[in-house]
Amino acid sequence: MDPQSSPATSQSLRGRHRAARGPVRTLVTRAASAQTGAITGRGAVIAAAGGGVLLSLVAPPAQAAPVPAVNTALAGKAVQGTLNTADLNALTSQARQSMAATTVVAVNPSAELKVEKAAVSVISAAENEDYQAQRAAEAEAEAIEQRGSAVVSIAMRYLGVPYVWGGTTPAGFDCSGFTSYVYAQVGIDLPRTSSAQRYAGTPVSWADAQPGDMIWTPGHIAIYAGDGMQIEAPVPGKSVRYTSIWQSNPTFIRVG
């Protein structure tokens, strides 16, 4: 404290100093309010702390793009309400511009549309020879497959039956007696000997052979089981067996 100042004088000065704060604060607050209203949307913060006033003005970055007007219109509104109040003049203008840029194709009013007419012929399935031939071939292939499956299934029942020369029953089989007995159970009668059975059906290639076809070589005959396998009554001392094709250059015979 200055020694030349009296206590009364100091108290008076302090009082005047405090009194001056009210108008100053009012002016600052008003100025801040005015400034805040002027920069709404760009960011303004006013904070009062204790006996002082903190005024902070935050300007947007220089590179920030202006907010489109349509965003302001949509703020706080339902989408449907905005659509109901939308100004369609701009859309109409865009539509006119689009139509102006579209290529127009002009058609002569006298142009005629001609449609050629041709007669349509329909042939029933019963009269279509190609279709009937295809159906017949499919039916035959299915019958051969079913018959062959049945032949193989029956032949497999007699695995282990001993080979007997001249045998034609499950008590004992020779090669041709075995094939005759098996095919008879699917309604096919075969000659007694293997040489005669060679001509009892139609020869087919190995590539076209199917299970149920016969496999012939001079002096022997067996039943083809598919996948390079056969069922046979081989030789004396052996029994009916399921084995791989061992014959050299066999002939496949399809019967039935």
Side-chain angles (χ1 to χ4, degrees):
M1 178 180 297
D2 189 346
Q4 295 180 359
S5 299
S6 64
T9 302
S10 300
Q11 183 67 27
S12 176
L13 290 174
R14 286 197 297 270
R16 285 195 300 269
H17 182 68
R18 292 194 190 97
R21 291 181 181 179
V24 172
R25 183 185 300 112
T26 303
L27 291 175
V28 172
T29 304
R30 289 178 179 176
S33 300
Q35 184 66 12
T36 302
I39 62 175
T40 300
R42 292 179 294 171
V45 177
I46 301 175
V53 175
L54 173 63
L55 174 63
S56 176
L57 304 180
V58 182
Q63 68 273 18
V67 179
V70 64
N71 289 346
T72 304
L74 291 175
K77 294 183 179 180
V79 175
Q80 185 60 47
T82 302
L83 293 177
N84 292 339
T85 60
D87 185 359
L88 300 180
N89 291 333
L91 296 179
T92 304
S93 175
Q94 293 177 3
R96 287 197 297 269
Q97 293 177 6
S98 178
M99 291 296 295
T102 302
T103 303
V104 178
V105 179
V107 179
N108 193 326
S110 62
E112 296 181 0
L113 177 63
K114 295 182 179 181
V115 180
E116 297 183 0
K117 297 180 179 180
V120 178
S121 59
V122 178
I123 301 176
S124 66
E127 297 175 348
N128 190 324
E129 295 181 358
D130 292 340
Y131 175 73
Q132 292 301 321
Q134 179 181 352
R135 289 289 303 276
E138 292 175 353
E140 181 180 1
E142 184 177 358
I144 292 173
E145 182 178 355
Q146 293 178 352
R147 183 172 62 245
S149 178
V151 167
V152 173
S153 178
I154 293 170
M156 293 290 285
R157 298 174 189 171
Y158 303 104
L159 296 179
V161 172
Y163 180 94
V164 175
W165 179 263
T168 58
T169 70
F173 292 118
D174 63 13
C175 65
S176 57
F178 174 64
T179 55
S180 298
Y181 186 85
V182 170
Y183 279 95
Q185 295 186 60
V186 296
I188 299 175
D189 293 329
L190 294 177
R192 174 62 187 86
T193 64
S194 61
S195 58
Q197 290 178 6
R198 160 65 178 85
Y199 300 100
T202 303
V204 296
S205 66
W206 191 328
D208 294 331
Q210 295 185 18
D213 292 341
M214 293 192 299
I215 303 175
W216 178 87
T217 50
H220 186 65
I221 198 160
I223 297 173
Y224 182 49
D227 297 327
M229 304 297 289
Q230 65 180 347
I231 307 169
E232 63 174 353
V235 293
K238 300 292 184 178
S239 58
V240 175
R241 65 185 182 182
Y242 174 78
T243 185
S244 60
I245 297 175
W246 52 266
Q247 300 91 318
S248 176
N249 195 25
T251 299
F252 291 85
I253 310 294
R254 182 163 299 162
V255 296

